[in-house]
Amino acid sequence: MHETTNAVPTPADPEEDLTPEQLAAKWEAEAPPAAGPVANLASSAVATLIGIAGIVFSVKLGLGTPAQPQPGMWPFIMSLVIVVLGLSQMFIGRHGGEGEKFSRLSWLVLFGVATLVGLVALMPVIGFEIPSLLLCIVWMKYLGGETWRSTLLYSTLVVVAFYAIFILALGTTIPHLF
């Protein structure tokens, strides 16, 4: 005998049946609490200060000219962008939406910055390959939650791609082992 059931098929994802308005309301209800204007001002000030520090360090490296750039040219440009964005957020953006309140997960940003500092400190000593590989592994595995297999594969591919672009194709003077 063949049994038939009148069970209602369940969707693979319960959010598939929600309208865009219901989905937005659900996401709003699950969002972390808002940080408030003082926290937004403080985070904008920190970003601005980091950008100013980047400008100072990049000028010490030397800027050169657009035709003959020195090592500090691109860090200077990026630091300038960070300062402009930090100041604009400080004075214009604070009237917009609220940012997220700092939580335990916010410390991961400091961990990411610390690993970048480690990369910068190790690069002149042992080249960019090993520190870059370690940085990619740490970021993908511990900050991104990837599996070990994908972490090792993609980290290796990233370093090989950077080597191919910056050393082989562009011939930059980045310290390297090979």
Side-chain angles (χ1 to χ4, degrees), residues 9-29:
T10 58
D13 185 6
E15 292 182 353
E16 289 179 3
D17 291 338
L18 298 177
T19 66
E21 293 80 17
Q22 292 170 326
L23 190 56
K26 180 180 180 204
W27 288 343
E28 184 70 30

Side-chain angles (χ1 to χ4, degrees), residues 165-174 176:
I165 292 168
F166 291 106
I167 304 300
L168 299 177
L170 297 175
T172 61
T173 58
I174 296 173
H176 57 92

Side-chain angles (χ1 to χ4, degrees), residues 11-173:
D13 185 6
E15 292 182 353
E16 289 179 3
D17 291 338
L18 298 177
T19 66
E21 293 80 17
Q22 292 170 326
L23 190 56
K26 180 180 180 204
W27 288 343
E28 184 70 30
E30 294 173 354
V38 174
N40 287 340
L41 181 65
S43 62
S44 299
V46 168
T48 302
L49 291 174
I50 289 171
I52 290 170
I55 288 173
V56 169
F57 289 127
S58 61
V59 167
K60 287 182 181 180
L61 287 173
L63 300 179
T65 66
Q68 295 274 313
Q70 290 186 350
M73 176 69 79
W74 283 108
F76 176 81
I77 292 169
M78 295 312 300
S79 297
L80 188 61
V81 168
I82 291 170
V83 168
V84 169
L85 291 174
L87 290 173
S88 66
Q89 178 64 26
M90 202 179 296
F91 296 107
I92 299 168
R94 66 183 172 161
H95 302 295
E98 294 291 322
E100 293 180 6
K101 193 171 200 167
F102 285 94
S103 68
R104 189 175 67 83
L105 294 175
S106 302
W107 291 103
L108 293 177
V109 174
L110 291 178
F111 180 70
V113 169
T115 56
L116 277 176
V117 169
L119 171 85
V120 171
L122 287 174
M123 198 181 299
V125 179
I126 59 174
F128 88 93
E129 296 93 343
I130 294 171
S132 297
L133 182 65
L134 293 174
L135 179 79
C136 286
I137 289 170
V138 167
W139 279 20
M140 292 185 75
K141 181 63 184 167
Y142 299 106
L143 298 180
E146 296 291 332
T147 65
W148 276 110
R149 186 170 129 182
S150 64
T151 294
L152 295 174
L153 174 68
Y154 294 130
S155 296
T156 303
L157 289 175
V158 165
V159 174
V160 168
F162 281 177
Y163 188 89
I165 292 168
F166 291 106
I167 304 300
L168 299 177
L170 297 175
T172 61
T173 58

